[in-house]
Amino acid sequence: PMSRARCILMIIGVSALPLLFAGCEKAAEDAGFAWQPVFGDNSNDTTPVVARVAGVEITEQDLDLRYDELPDNMKSRYKGAEGRRLLLKEMTDQVLLVRGAVDRELYNERNVARQLISLRRMTLDQAMRSIGLLAETKPSEQELQEYFQANRDLYRQQGAVMAQHIECLTREEAQEAYDRLLRGGPKDKFPFVVADYSVNGKTRDQAGALGWFNKGGFVPYVENTRDFTTKAYELEDGLNPPVLIGGRWHVIEILNRERERPMTFAEARDQVLQDYLPMFERGVIEGYLADARAEFQPELLGEYAPGRGLTPDEILARAIALPDGQDKLDLFLLIHEDFPQSERADDALFLAAHVSRD
């Protein structure tokens, strides 16, 4: 059991979640309270106590966990020994503020109670989805492969080229560079011509090498890069005459090319999993809810009851008698939605289709 000095009390229920400090254990037991910690994660904490305030002990682990809760942009403020001391002082202040709220029974204020209830509901809802249902439930390899086969057109390996270039300010300079490369003499190889003509210092330092890129992709150090890669990708393999791209003249040599092709499952698996997972997780949650509804039989009452409290036959008779087509349609669809197993469900759907055509 958790130390009394480290805990506050919280009502277990949905109508309110008042917090009470330790020290009134008998009254708490009589009222149906359960122990809840001020800080920490409810685990067995054996780390040293680093502060005491108002009957609450704060441990080294509590301090670590409180630091983890901070937004990333605030963590730098609390790094190092002095930062942790500052955070610990702020935690003791928070205990005092919480105690003040408890002493004044602020948990009975409607807005406060509403927030406590809402936070509890949302936390448990998310915990059920992420931990209770999805943590250990993963798609099988067969499911992923079936999804891949059904959506093969989505998974294609983009084409890519490996290229090098010379970037010039004028067409005349680019043509001179191109002509030298065509001559192919000992001093007309690409690295020499790049050094003599290219105005792009970054790629000149790499002998004009651009590496691999796909159509519309990105290459570093080249301005108007998407326009450049789009046009360069369409060039013929080998050395190409000067081409104007984004106000600069380029002599581009395509060194290698990989054609666009369908991906194998092994290549596409990570993307398949990412694409399939949302649908799979929805299916897990919807399956659980379907079973839970069957077990607990939720009831909607009064005007929210199925069919708004009317039987399918009563709704059908009322719909037929209505003069307005939209009102008819709404009631016919209500039968189909609220009484899908009724003998009138198919009749209502047929009549709804007839009304829609009119």
Side-chain angles (χ1 to χ4, degrees), residues 7-13 16-24 28 33-39 56 94-95 97-109 112-113 115-117 119-120:
C7 298
I8 57 177
L9 296 169
M10 180 180 290
I11 281 183
I12 302 300
L17 294 173
L19 305 175
L20 298 177
F21 268 78
C24 46
F33 292 119
W35 291 105
Q36 296 291 335
V38 182
F39 298 108
V56 174
Q94 190 171 39
V95 171
L97 289 168
V98 172
R99 172 157 191 158
V102 171
D103 289 344
R104 290 163 176 77
E105 299 185 354
L106 297 184
Y107 47 80
N108 286 325
E109 293 286 334
V112 177
Q115 285 185 311
L116 291 171
I117 293 168
L119 287 170
R120 179 177 183 270

Side-chain angles (χ1 to χ4, degrees), residues 39-83:
F39 298 108
D41 59 2
N42 221 21
S43 61
N44 183 24
D45 184 358
T46 59
T47 60
V49 174
V50 293
R52 292 187 180 90
V53 57
V56 174
E57 292 181 344
I58 301 173
T59 69
E60 193 76 44
Q61 177 174 291
D62 294 335
L63 184 57
D64 291 339
L65 293 175
R66 181 67 188 97
Y67 178 81
D68 288 342
E69 293 172 3
L70 295 170
D72 289 341
N73 63 351
M74 291 183 60
K75 286 186 175 179
S76 60
R77 171 178 168 82
Y78 300 101
K79 284 185 176 178
E82 291 307 313

Side-chain angles (χ1 to χ4, degrees), residues 40 43 60 81 106 110 133 140 160 189 194 226 239 252 329 334 348:
S43 61
E60 193 76 44
L106 297 184
R110 290 186 64 186
L133 295 176
S140 67
K189 303 300 184 185
V194 168
R226 297 194 185 282
L239 185 65
I252 301 171
L329 182 62
L334 183 65

Side-chain angles (χ1 to χ4, degrees), residues 258-295:
E258 290 187 354
R259 303 289 178 181
E260 181 178 345
R261 61 174 176 79
M263 297 174 73
T264 65
F265 173 73
E267 291 171 329
R269 187 188 180 284
D270 289 346
Q271 185 61 46
V272 171
L273 177 61
Q274 183 178 335
D275 295 342
Y276 179 66
L277 203 54
M279 180 173 65
F280 172 80
E281 291 178 345
R282 283 196 302 272
V284 172
I285 293 169
E286 289 168 3
Y288 166 79
L289 288 173
D291 292 342
R293 290 189 197 106
E295 179 180 357

Side-chain angles (χ1 to χ4, degrees), residues 183-222:
R183 285 199 298 269
K187 294 295 185 179
D188 299 324
K189 303 300 184 185
F190 214 94
F192 296 109
V193 181
V194 168
D196 290 342
Y197 287 92
S198 184
V199 296
N200 187 324
K202 293 292 187 181
T203 59
R204 186 177 61 229
D205 291 343
Q206 301 176 84
L210 299 173
W212 286 93
F213 56 86
N214 54 40
K215 186 176 182 179
F218 173 81
V219 289
Y221 313 128
V222 176

